Short mmCIF file of all heavy atoms in Angstrom, two decimals:
data_model
loop_
_atom_site.label_atom_id
_atom_site.label_comp_id
_atom_site.label_asym_id
_atom_site.label_seq_id
_atom_site.Cartn_x
_atom_site.Cartn_y
_atom_site.Cartn_z
N ASP A 243 0.87 -1.23 0.09
CA ASP A 243 -0.15 -0.04 -0.04
C ASP A 243 0.86 1.31 -0.07
O ASP A 243 0.30 2.34 0.14
CB ASP A 243 -1.02 -0.02 1.11
CG ASP A 243 -2.07 -1.05 1.13
OD1 ASP A 243 -2.44 -1.28 -0.01
OD2 ASP A 243 -2.39 -1.60 2.17
N ALA A 244 2.11 1.19 -0.13
CA ALA A 244 2.96 2.28 -0.12
C ALA A 244 2.50 3.41 -1.17
O ALA A 244 2.71 4.61 -1.11
CB ALA A 244 4.42 2.05 -0.33
N ALA A 245 2.12 2.86 -2.42
CA ALA A 245 1.65 3.82 -3.51
C ALA A 245 0.46 4.63 -3.12
O ALA A 245 0.23 5.60 -3.78
CB ALA A 245 1.38 2.87 -4.82
N CYS A 246 -0.24 4.21 -2.05
CA CYS A 246 -1.50 4.83 -1.86
C CYS A 246 -1.35 5.71 -0.55
O CYS A 246 -2.32 6.48 -0.23
CB CYS A 246 -2.71 3.95 -1.61
SG CYS A 246 -3.25 3.15 -3.22
N ASP A 247 -0.40 5.44 0.27
CA ASP A 247 -0.30 6.04 1.61
C ASP A 247 0.37 7.50 1.37
O ASP A 247 1.41 7.72 2.02
CB ASP A 247 0.56 5.18 2.54
CG ASP A 247 0.35 5.71 3.98
OD1 ASP A 247 -0.49 6.45 4.28
OD2 ASP A 247 1.30 5.27 4.79
N GLN A 248 -0.17 8.17 0.63
CA GLN A 248 0.30 9.58 0.26
C GLN A 248 -0.71 10.61 0.70
O GLN A 248 -1.97 10.47 0.57
CB GLN A 248 0.66 9.79 -1.14
CG GLN A 248 1.52 8.68 -1.73
CD GLN A 248 2.91 8.63 -1.08
OE1 GLN A 248 3.47 9.71 -0.78
NE2 GLN A 248 3.50 7.51 -0.91
N ALA A 249 -0.28 11.68 1.38
CA ALA A 249 -1.16 12.84 1.95
C ALA A 249 -2.06 13.28 0.75
O ALA A 249 -3.36 13.49 0.95
CB ALA A 249 -0.44 13.90 2.51
N SER A 250 -1.52 13.54 -0.32
CA SER A 250 -2.22 14.13 -1.45
C SER A 250 -3.40 13.29 -1.94
O SER A 250 -4.49 13.71 -2.39
CB SER A 250 -1.39 14.51 -2.63
OG SER A 250 -0.74 13.41 -3.11
N LEU A 251 -3.14 11.87 -1.91
CA LEU A 251 -4.16 10.98 -2.24
C LEU A 251 -5.29 10.72 -1.19
O LEU A 251 -6.45 10.82 -1.52
CB LEU A 251 -3.57 9.55 -2.56
CG LEU A 251 -2.56 9.57 -3.79
CD1 LEU A 251 -1.86 8.10 -3.88
CD2 LEU A 251 -3.26 9.98 -5.03
N LEU A 252 -4.79 10.65 0.00
CA LEU A 252 -5.79 10.36 1.08
C LEU A 252 -6.71 11.61 1.34
O LEU A 252 -7.82 11.42 1.71
CB LEU A 252 -5.05 10.01 2.37
CG LEU A 252 -4.24 8.59 2.22
CD1 LEU A 252 -3.39 8.32 3.48
CD2 LEU A 252 -5.28 7.47 2.12
N ARG A 253 -6.15 12.74 1.06
CA ARG A 253 -6.99 13.94 1.29
C ARG A 253 -8.19 13.98 0.33
O ARG A 253 -9.11 14.64 0.54
CB ARG A 253 -6.16 15.22 1.20
CG ARG A 253 -5.27 15.41 2.41
CD ARG A 253 -4.53 16.74 2.28
NE ARG A 253 -3.61 16.92 3.45
CZ ARG A 253 -2.29 17.19 3.32
NH1 ARG A 253 -1.77 17.26 2.05
NH2 ARG A 253 -1.58 17.36 4.41
N SER A 254 -8.00 13.26 -0.78
CA SER A 254 -9.32 13.25 -1.63
C SER A 254 -10.40 12.57 -1.06
O SER A 254 -11.53 12.64 -1.49
CB SER A 254 -8.86 12.55 -2.95
OG SER A 254 -8.65 11.20 -2.69
N LEU A 255 -10.23 11.79 0.10
CA LEU A 255 -11.31 11.18 0.84
C LEU A 255 -12.22 12.26 1.47
O LEU A 255 -13.31 11.89 2.06
CB LEU A 255 -10.78 10.21 1.83
CG LEU A 255 -10.14 8.89 1.30
CD1 LEU A 255 -9.41 8.16 2.46
CD2 LEU A 255 -11.08 8.13 0.57
N SER A 256 -11.65 13.58 1.58
CA SER A 256 -12.36 14.54 2.36
C SER A 256 -13.58 14.97 1.60
O SER A 256 -14.37 15.77 2.10
CB SER A 256 -11.43 15.65 2.67
OG SER A 256 -10.42 15.19 3.55
N ASP A 257 -13.62 14.47 0.33
CA ASP A 257 -14.75 14.94 -0.52
C ASP A 257 -16.04 14.31 0.06
O ASP A 257 -17.21 14.68 -0.39
CB ASP A 257 -14.51 14.46 -2.00
CG ASP A 257 -13.45 15.28 -2.62
OD1 ASP A 257 -13.09 16.39 -2.05
OD2 ASP A 257 -12.89 14.96 -3.52
N ILE A 258 -15.97 13.25 0.83
CA ILE A 258 -17.10 12.56 1.37
C ILE A 258 -17.22 12.95 2.84
O ILE A 258 -16.28 13.21 3.48
CB ILE A 258 -17.18 11.10 1.25
CG1 ILE A 258 -15.92 10.44 1.94
CG2 ILE A 258 -17.09 10.76 -0.18
CD1 ILE A 258 -15.94 9.03 1.81
N PRO A 259 -18.49 13.05 3.42
CA PRO A 259 -18.67 13.45 4.81
C PRO A 259 -17.99 12.54 5.69
O PRO A 259 -17.74 11.32 5.41
CB PRO A 259 -20.17 13.54 5.05
CG PRO A 259 -20.58 13.58 3.68
CD PRO A 259 -19.80 12.88 2.65
N ALA A 260 -17.35 12.90 6.88
CA ALA A 260 -16.76 12.06 7.92
C ALA A 260 -17.64 10.88 8.18
O ALA A 260 -18.81 10.95 8.65
CB ALA A 260 -16.43 12.93 9.06
N THR A 261 -16.92 9.88 8.08
CA THR A 261 -17.66 8.43 8.33
C THR A 261 -16.65 7.45 8.80
O THR A 261 -15.49 7.79 9.01
CB THR A 261 -18.39 7.92 7.02
OG1 THR A 261 -19.12 6.82 7.32
CG2 THR A 261 -17.32 7.74 5.95
N LEU A 262 -17.11 6.17 8.83
CA LEU A 262 -16.22 5.03 9.18
C LEU A 262 -15.81 4.27 8.03
O LEU A 262 -16.63 3.71 7.26
CB LEU A 262 -16.89 4.12 10.24
CG LEU A 262 -16.10 3.02 10.80
CD1 LEU A 262 -14.92 3.30 11.57
CD2 LEU A 262 -17.01 2.11 11.65
N ILE A 263 -14.48 4.12 7.81
CA ILE A 263 -13.92 3.47 6.66
C ILE A 263 -13.28 2.14 7.11
O ILE A 263 -12.28 2.18 8.06
CB ILE A 263 -12.97 4.33 5.92
CG1 ILE A 263 -13.77 5.71 5.40
CG2 ILE A 263 -12.26 3.67 4.68
CD1 ILE A 263 -12.91 6.67 4.62
N ALA A 264 -13.49 1.11 6.39
CA ALA A 264 -12.71 -0.19 6.53
C ALA A 264 -11.63 -0.18 5.60
O ALA A 264 -11.77 0.04 4.37
CB ALA A 264 -13.61 -1.44 6.35
N SER A 265 -10.37 -0.43 6.04
CA SER A 265 -9.19 -0.32 5.25
C SER A 265 -8.17 -1.37 5.69
O SER A 265 -8.16 -1.76 6.82
CB SER A 265 -8.63 1.03 5.21
OG SER A 265 -7.94 1.29 6.43
N PRO A 266 -7.26 -1.68 4.87
CA PRO A 266 -6.03 -2.67 5.28
C PRO A 266 -5.29 -1.79 6.28
O PRO A 266 -5.33 -0.64 6.40
CB PRO A 266 -5.29 -2.83 3.96
CG PRO A 266 -6.25 -2.51 2.87
CD PRO A 266 -7.27 -1.57 3.35
N LEU A 267 -4.42 -2.58 7.11
CA LEU A 267 -3.74 -2.03 8.12
C LEU A 267 -2.81 -0.87 7.78
O LEU A 267 -2.70 0.16 8.61
CB LEU A 267 -2.88 -3.17 8.88
CG LEU A 267 -2.60 -2.99 10.23
CD1 LEU A 267 -3.87 -2.99 11.14
CD2 LEU A 267 -1.75 -4.20 10.70
N ASN A 268 -2.10 -0.98 6.65
CA ASN A 268 -1.14 0.03 6.34
C ASN A 268 -1.84 1.41 5.91
O ASN A 268 -1.03 2.43 5.91
CB ASN A 268 -0.35 -0.36 5.16
CG ASN A 268 0.57 -1.53 5.60
OD1 ASN A 268 0.65 -1.89 6.75
ND2 ASN A 268 1.19 -2.17 4.54
N LEU A 269 -3.07 1.45 5.68
CA LEU A 269 -3.73 2.78 5.32
C LEU A 269 -4.34 3.41 6.44
O LEU A 269 -4.72 4.62 6.28
CB LEU A 269 -4.75 2.48 4.13
CG LEU A 269 -4.13 1.99 2.81
CD1 LEU A 269 -5.29 1.73 1.84
CD2 LEU A 269 -3.20 3.10 2.22
N SER A 270 -4.59 2.69 7.56
CA SER A 270 -5.46 3.31 8.59
C SER A 270 -4.91 4.54 9.17
O SER A 270 -5.67 5.57 9.27
CB SER A 270 -5.67 2.20 9.59
OG SER A 270 -4.47 1.91 10.18
N THR A 271 -3.74 4.62 9.53
CA THR A 271 -3.18 5.81 10.27
C THR A 271 -3.14 6.94 9.36
O THR A 271 -3.29 8.05 9.74
CB THR A 271 -1.89 5.53 10.93
OG1 THR A 271 -0.99 4.95 9.95
CG2 THR A 271 -1.97 4.58 12.09
N GLY A 272 -2.82 6.65 8.02
CA GLY A 272 -2.90 7.79 7.05
C GLY A 272 -4.26 8.33 6.90
O GLY A 272 -4.38 9.70 6.76
N ILE A 273 -5.37 7.67 6.93
CA ILE A 273 -6.61 8.06 6.90
C ILE A 273 -6.96 8.96 8.08
O ILE A 273 -7.48 10.10 7.92
CB ILE A 273 -7.65 7.01 6.85
CG1 ILE A 273 -7.54 6.13 5.62
CG2 ILE A 273 -9.04 7.54 6.98
CD1 ILE A 273 -8.35 4.97 5.50
N LEU A 274 -6.47 8.59 9.25
CA LEU A 274 -6.65 9.29 10.52
C LEU A 274 -5.96 10.73 10.44
O LEU A 274 -6.59 11.68 10.78
CB LEU A 274 -6.07 8.69 11.68
CG LEU A 274 -6.86 7.45 12.25
CD1 LEU A 274 -6.06 6.71 13.41
CD2 LEU A 274 -8.34 7.71 12.61
N ILE A 275 -4.76 10.71 9.97
CA ILE A 275 -3.99 12.00 10.09
C ILE A 275 -4.34 12.93 8.94
O ILE A 275 -4.11 14.20 9.13
CB ILE A 275 -2.41 11.70 10.08
CG1 ILE A 275 -1.64 12.78 10.70
CG2 ILE A 275 -1.92 11.46 8.64
CD1 ILE A 275 -1.73 12.80 12.21
N HIS A 276 -4.75 12.53 7.81
CA HIS A 276 -5.03 13.34 6.66
C HIS A 276 -6.43 13.67 6.40
O HIS A 276 -6.75 14.48 5.64
CB HIS A 276 -4.40 12.77 5.35
CG HIS A 276 -2.85 12.69 5.45
ND1 HIS A 276 -2.01 13.83 5.72
CD2 HIS A 276 -2.03 11.55 5.41
CE1 HIS A 276 -0.83 13.33 5.75
NE2 HIS A 276 -0.74 11.97 5.52
N THR A 277 -7.34 12.98 7.22
CA THR A 277 -8.84 13.26 6.95
C THR A 277 -9.48 13.16 8.30
O THR A 277 -8.85 13.11 9.35
CB THR A 277 -9.38 12.08 6.06
OG1 THR A 277 -9.76 10.95 6.89
CG2 THR A 277 -8.60 11.83 4.86
N ALA A 278 -10.84 13.50 8.24
CA ALA A 278 -11.57 13.52 9.48
C ALA A 278 -12.36 12.10 9.74
O ALA A 278 -13.09 12.05 10.59
CB ALA A 278 -12.63 14.68 9.42
N HIS A 279 -12.11 11.11 8.88
CA HIS A 279 -12.71 9.98 8.94
C HIS A 279 -12.17 8.99 10.13
O HIS A 279 -11.13 9.34 10.58
CB HIS A 279 -12.59 9.09 7.62
CG HIS A 279 -13.12 9.90 6.45
ND1 HIS A 279 -14.48 10.17 6.39
CD2 HIS A 279 -12.42 10.33 5.26
CE1 HIS A 279 -14.62 10.80 5.16
NE2 HIS A 279 -13.47 10.93 4.50
#
């Protein structure tokens, strides 16, 4: 998941309202730090 654990990519998730996302282990902390999810 190194190709996806980038701030610029994960911030695109901010286009949806804050919610609960299921993800593989390597993406979870990136979602926390770069979004409100």
